[in-house]
Each structure stands twice: as C-alpha cells, then as structure tokens.
Amino acid sequence: MINIYEDINKLEATFRKTDEFQNLKNAVETVRADEEAKVLFTNFRDVQLKMQDKQNAGEEITEEEYVFLQKTAQLAQQNPKIIGMLEAEMALSAVIQEINRIITQPIQAMYDGL
Amino acid sequence: MINIYEDINKLEATFRKTDEFQNLKNAVETVRADEEAKVLFTNFRDVQLKMQDKQNAGEEITEEEYVFLQKTAQLAQQNPKIIGMLEAEMALSAVIQEINRIITQPIQAMYDGL
Ligand SMILES: [Ca+2]
Ligand SMILES: [Ca+2]
C-alpha cells in the first residue's frame, strides 16, 4: 500500500508558498479590512447562496429576486478590492487546474486507441 | 519563485503506483481485450460525445436520439467488464477528490469569518 498522503501534504505545503496563494491571502485580507468591500462581498455571496438553496430545493426564483442578485453582483464587481480578490482567485484556480492536468494526464492515456 | 512542479511530478508518480490507478489500468485493458465489451463501451462513448457536441452547438436533441443514447448506455452498463471499469473509475476519482480536498482546504480557511 503506497502512502500518497506524504506527497499530497508536501505539495500542499509548497502550494501555500506560491505567489498565487499568498496574493489571494493578501487580497482576501484587504477585502476583510475594508468595511465597504466586506459588506458588498458578503451581501453578494449570501444572496447567491440563498438563490442556490432555493434552486436545490426546487423552488422557483422570481424575476425580482434574479434582478436583485444581478444588482448585488454588479455592485460587488465594481469595487476595486473585490476585483483584486476575484483576479487573485482566478490566478490560484489556474495553479489548481495545472495540478489536476498533470495528475490526471496518465488516466487519459489509458483510454488511447479505445 | 517556488518550484511547485517538482512536488506535483512526485505526487503524480506516486499516484500512478496506487492500487486504484493500477486497478483502473487493468480494468481498461480488460475491456480493450474483449471485442464485445470494447464495442459496447466505444459505442456508448461516441453517442454520448455526439449528443454533447449537439448540445454545445445549441442544436436540439430529439426524443429518438435521447432514447438511443439511453439504450446504448443500458447495454454498456450490463456488461461485467464495463461495470468493473466504471467501478475502478469511481475508486480512482475518489483519490483525485481527496487530493483536491487537501490542496484546496487552506483556501477555504482564508474566507473564514467573512
Ligand atoms: Ca472602500
Ligand atoms: Ca464478452
């Protein structure tokens, strides 16, 4: 039985040291420290989660609710500190995608010619 | 600049040595070596990809096409060798999910209390 956890934990420690990870950490702290940015972000996130819960419960989302969601999203995405955080999220997401690409590559190869 | 690739490659090498990876590799070879299982699998996969292409192109999938897809899926999923491959795929998928869970855990923690 191979112990894969040693290698996962080592990668995770290095992942936390990347510029992309540290940049997101700083960007989130910048939002957290600014009351306006923090409220805009948490409002948008809470409205979004509430809509998702309704959808998962099979409840209908009204036109009014959808317009409100769009408005809170627009307001949040106009805040420079939130923009910085979203950009940092995308950059870190690219690192995670790269990790997944390399790990799953040998799986694709199994199916070659099938 | 951190070199994360060294750790990703080391994890990928260990990943390829897990029972779950080797089991899937064997299960795919078992399907490949059996003409009946191979045809049932590739038929289903090709019909599924064709439907996805149509959906992505915004084309309508007819009731007839949908029934055909369901039938090819059912036929494939009754074959013991394909069942073995699908089970091996799920087991390996659980390992990948575990890797992702550990890597992304410190990201969730950044947003705590926000
Ligand atoms: Ca401000
Ligand atoms: Ca057979």
Side-chain angles (χ1 to χ4, degrees):
Chain A
M1 187 66 187
I2 295 283
N3 184 8
I4 197 170
Y5 283 97
E6 203 178 291
D7 290 333
I8 303 175
N9 291 331
K10 196 159 179 300
L11 173 59
E12 188 261 342
T14 303
F15 176 71
R16 275 188 278 115
K17 286 179 197 145
T18 59
D19 289 345
E20 289 85 351
F21 187 93
Q22 291 303 322
N23 286 346
L24 178 57
K25 203 176 155 121
N26 293 337
V28 172
E29 283 317 308
T30 300
V31 167
R32 195 195 301 274
D34 183 298
E35 198 55 32
E36 186 190 347
K38 187 180 156 179
V39 168
L40 286 170
F41 169 68
T42 52
N43 263 1
F44 166 59
R45 202 242 346 250
D46 294 348
V47 172
Q48 197 178 30
L49 288 177
K50 211 176 135 191
M51 294 298 104
Q52 276 170 9
D53 282 350
K54 284 194 85 167
Q55 263 190 322
N56 292 341
E59 289 173 45
E60 208 189 334
I61 292 167
T62 65
E63 180 75 19
E64 206 178 13
E65 286 174 324
Y66 186 73
V67 169
F68 185 65
L69 176 65
Q70 294 296 105
K71 270 194 186 152
T72 50
Q74 268 169 23
L75 274 173
Q77 285 159 11
Q78 279 162 7
N79 182 286
K81 288 172 184 175
I82 297 180
I83 292 172
M85 189 175 74
L86 295 175
E87 284 172 352
E89 283 175 356
M90 279 191 285
L92 191 59
S93 176
V95 176
I96 296 168
Q97 278 175 42
E98 178 70 350
I99 293 172
N100 275 297
R101 188 189 63 77
I102 295 171
I103 303 292
T104 59
Q105 209 165 286
I107 303 174
Q108 313 304 325
M110 287 179 192
Y111 295 86
D112 278 356
L114 248 188
Chain B
M1 187 64 189
I2 295 282
N3 184 7
I4 197 171
Y5 283 97
E6 203 177 293
D7 290 333
I8 303 175
N9 290 334
K10 194 159 180 301
L11 174 59
E12 189 260 341
T14 302
F15 177 71
R16 276 188 278 115
K17 285 178 196 145
T18 59
D19 290 343
E20 289 86 351
F21 186 92
Q22 290 303 323
N23 287 345
L24 179 56
K25 202 175 154 117
N26 293 337
V28 173
E29 283 317 310
T30 300
V31 167
R32 193 194 302 274
D34 183 298
E35 198 55 33
E36 185 191 345
K38 187 180 156 180
V39 168
L40 284 170
F41 169 67
T42 52
N43 262 2
F44 166 59
R45 201 240 349 250
D46 294 347
V47 172
Q48 196 179 31
L49 288 177
K50 211 177 134 188
M51 294 299 102
Q52 277 171 7
D53 282 350
K54 283 195 84 166
Q55 263 190 323
N56 292 342
E59 290 173 43
E60 207 189 333
I61 292 167
T62 65
E63 180 75 17
E64 205 179 14
E65 286 173 324
Y66 186 72
V67 169
F68 185 66
L69 176 65
Q70 293 297 104
K71 271 193 187 156
T72 50
Q74 269 171 21
L75 274 175
Q77 284 158 12
Q78 281 163 5
N79 183 285
K81 288 173 184 176
I82 296 179
I83 292 172
M85 190 176 74
L86 296 174
E87 284 172 354
E89 282 175 358
M90 280 191 283
L92 191 60
S93 176
V95 177
I96 296 168
Q97 279 176 42
E98 178 71 349
I99 294 171
N100 275 297
R101 188 188 63 78
I102 296 172
I103 303 293
T104 59
Q105 210 165 284
I107 302 175
Q108 313 302 324
M110 288 180 190
Y111 296 85
D112 277 356
L114 248 188

